[in-house]
Amino acid sequence: MKENPTYEDVCAHDTGHAEVVQVEFDPAIVSYTQLLDVFWSNHNPTTLNRQGPDVGDQYRSVIFYHTPEQRAVAEESKSSLEESGRFKRPIVTQIEPMPTFYRAEEYHQRYLEKRGLSHCAV
């Protein structure tokens, strides 16, 4: 993977990076399971390399975990969702160890707000 890629680098589809949000949370206030519930509720985990109008491998559905415990909880959450029948198609969300996180360039922060759009579903 390329170190500190630009948005243009990521859009070239040869860096292996995904556009993600890194969430810092206090488990005394919100559990990892609750965060996963929000994740599953706010995107389509059955579309490979696509979220809404955004298409490309950088838009793949992925959960990056920091600990073996997070991995186990994420995998159980995914399995439960698959078994629930909520989605007719298979869930393609990947569960992978957290690589180095690179913050997007400033012009890409608060992207929708800067363009006069309200917000995304999350």
Side-chain angles (χ1 to χ4, degrees):
M1 283 200 171
K2 181 176 181 169
E3 288 189 35
N4 204 24
T6 65
Y7 181 67
E8 288 75 21
D9 292 335
V10 174
C11 290
H13 308 290
D14 60 0
T15 68
H17 292 280
E19 288 190 39
V20 299
V21 173
Q22 180 165 259
V23 177
E24 293 182 24
F25 67 101
D26 180 345
I29 297 171
V30 62
S31 71
Y32 187 60
T33 300
Q34 289 172 307
L35 293 176
L36 289 169
D37 289 344
V38 171
F39 172 79
W40 298 122
S41 297
N42 284 282
H43 86 293
N44 184 345
T46 69
T47 55
L48 185 62
N49 298 333
R50 179 181 191 135
Q51 289 304 313
D54 299 318
V55 179
D57 58 337
Q58 75 270 33
Y59 300 113
R60 67 188 178 275
S61 177
V62 61
I63 296 168
F64 291 115
Y65 60 86
H66 291 271
T67 66
E69 293 79 17
Q70 284 183 348
R71 177 183 182 180
V73 172
E75 288 177 349
E76 174 59 34
S77 177
K78 179 180 174 181
S79 292
S80 293
L81 187 61
E82 287 174 324
E83 293 169 9
S84 76
R86 179 172 156 197
F87 295 99
K88 292 184 181 9
R89 297 185 317 184
I91 293 173
V92 297
T93 301
Q94 300 164 342
I95 299 174
E96 303 175 1
M98 180 66 184
T100 301
F101 178 81
Y102 298 102
R103 190 174 193 275
E105 298 98 330
E106 190 54 40
Y107 79 90
H108 224 70
Q109 301 298 324
R110 305 185 73 79
Y111 185 84
L112 294 176
E113 181 180 302
K114 288 177 181 176
R115 282 150 186 80
L117 302 171
S118 63
H119 62 283
C120 68
V122 178

